[in-house]
Amino acid sequence: MTQLYRDHGIVLRTYKLGEADRIVVLVTRGHGKVRAVAKGVRKTKSRFGSRLEPTSHIALQLFEGRELDIVTQVESIDHFRPIRDDLDRIARASAMLEAVDQIAQEREVNPRLYQMLLGGLRALAAHNGPVVVPAFFWKLLALEGYRPITEQCAECGVIGPLVAFELEAGGLLCADCRRGTAISPEAVDLLQRILGGQLGSALNEPASPASHEIDHLATRALEHHLERRLRSVTLLDRA
Ligand SMILES: [Zn+2]
């Protein structure tokens, strides 16, 4: 039985270990979230230290350890240079990496989560638009099983007009059922496009009051979901 394995991954974060080593947290295509030691990478002559930075898309070989795996080979697939060279995009990428880090479970295989992050980073590298991160958050919620209802009132089913958003109600609401946060017709349209198969056109939207609205709503919805998830994990641990 070999303890070496190969996979593709995206670096979510790294932190120092001892004098010269670094721990790398990755989301991988075939092994879920992995925490691995990269030995000697903080020495100047390290062969692969620079390939193990947050957002790096890499092909790697790991040696399976009892608690932490050990990185034995790294090849760069994509550095996402347009992201690295732009502080604004770095901030946006960091929000995506952090969200995935919170949702991904160690060794829980989730190839769609890996693909989604890859797609999100590629979209951000291609175009630094205000909708990239909120669209990513909405898609992440949908992947987690919390896709908001956007085509009709989540409460009574009327097609429209939809004027409010309430996560606990399940999505958008009509004027009769309204509660939660008021939402403009432009933001309703943008949200419907993001979740309704027109992501490409939504990603090219310029900054507008509507993009701010859906950004704000997406962040609140994801935070709400993560808190509930983290609480449920804590409860499970105590059981
Ligand atoms: Zn209604």
Side-chain angles (χ1 to χ4, degrees):
M1 198 189 93
T2 177
Q3 289 173 295
L4 274 177
Y5 68 96
R6 290 188 154 275
D7 207 339
H8 286 194
I10 299 161
V11 178
L12 299 176
R13 61 188 161 93
T14 74
Y15 49 99
K16 292 174 186 176
L17 179 70
E19 288 292 306
D21 303 341
R22 197 169 270 284
I23 290 185
V24 184
V25 182
L26 304 135
V27 63
T28 66
R29 189 168 62 184
H31 296 80
K33 186 159 85 175
V34 168
R35 280 196 309 141
V37 182
K39 288 192 181 290
V41 290
R42 284 161 56 217
K43 292 175 186 158
T44 48
K45 283 183 180 172
S46 161
R47 283 171 302 126
F48 50 63
S50 66
R51 295 173 206 161
L52 294 169
E53 296 291 331
T55 73
S56 291
H57 183 211
I58 52 178
L60 72 169
Q61 187 183 63
L62 298 118
F63 185 80
E64 199 175 332
R66 191 172 298 175
E67 287 186 10
L68 289 168
D69 296 353
I70 296 166
V71 180
T72 56
Q73 274 180 35
V74 184
E75 288 157 47
S76 176
I77 299 172
D78 197 338
H79 282 298
F80 294 113
R81 186 60 60 194
I83 296 176
R84 302 265 183 101
D85 290 346
D86 179 349
L87 282 176
D88 191 44
R89 281 192 234 207
I90 289 172
R92 289 192 161 135
S94 300
M96 292 197 275
L97 297 181
E98 190 187 335
V100 169
D101 192 13
Q102 298 224 35
I103 280 174
Q105 302 293 301
E106 287 194 27
R107 314 256 182 218
E108 186 183 289
V109 180
N110 191 343
R112 287 190 61 198
L113 184 59
Y114 162 83
Q115 284 298 341
M116 192 178 285
L117 179 57
L118 192 53
L121 291 172
R122 282 176 176 157
L124 185 61
H127 174 65
N128 185 21
V131 179
V132 175
V133 173
F136 182 77
F137 284 0
W138 287 116
K139 292 281 190 182
L140 210 49
L141 279 164
L143 181 68
E144 285 278 283
Y146 293 93
R147 184 197 183 286
I149 295 163
T150 56
E151 304 77 25
Q152 59 187 62
C153 175
E155 198 79 39
C156 74
V158 73
I159 298 301
L162 303 167
V163 299
F165 181 89
E166 171 63 44
L167 196 68
E168 292 294 337
L172 294 172
L173 297 168
C174 73
D176 289 338
C177 305
R178 70 177 307 158
R179 56 186 205 269
T181 311
I183 184 168
S184 70
E186 294 79 14
V188 168
D189 173 68
L190 195 49
L191 187 56
Q192 286 173 336
R193 280 193 280 148
I194 289 168
L195 288 166
Q198 291 173 275
L199 182 61
S201 87
L203 289 179
N204 286 321
E205 284 288 318
S208 66
S211 75
H212 283 290
E213 279 181 74
I214 60 136
D215 189 4
H216 181 68
L217 281 176
T219 302
R220 269 185 32 207
L222 188 66
E223 280 172 354
H224 180 84
H225 169 64
L226 288 172
E227 268 170 35
R228 191 161 53 185
R229 184 177 171 130
L230 291 175
R231 266 205 308 273
S232 66
V233 170
T234 313
L235 287 173
L236 280 174
D237 285 347
R238 282 177 195 155

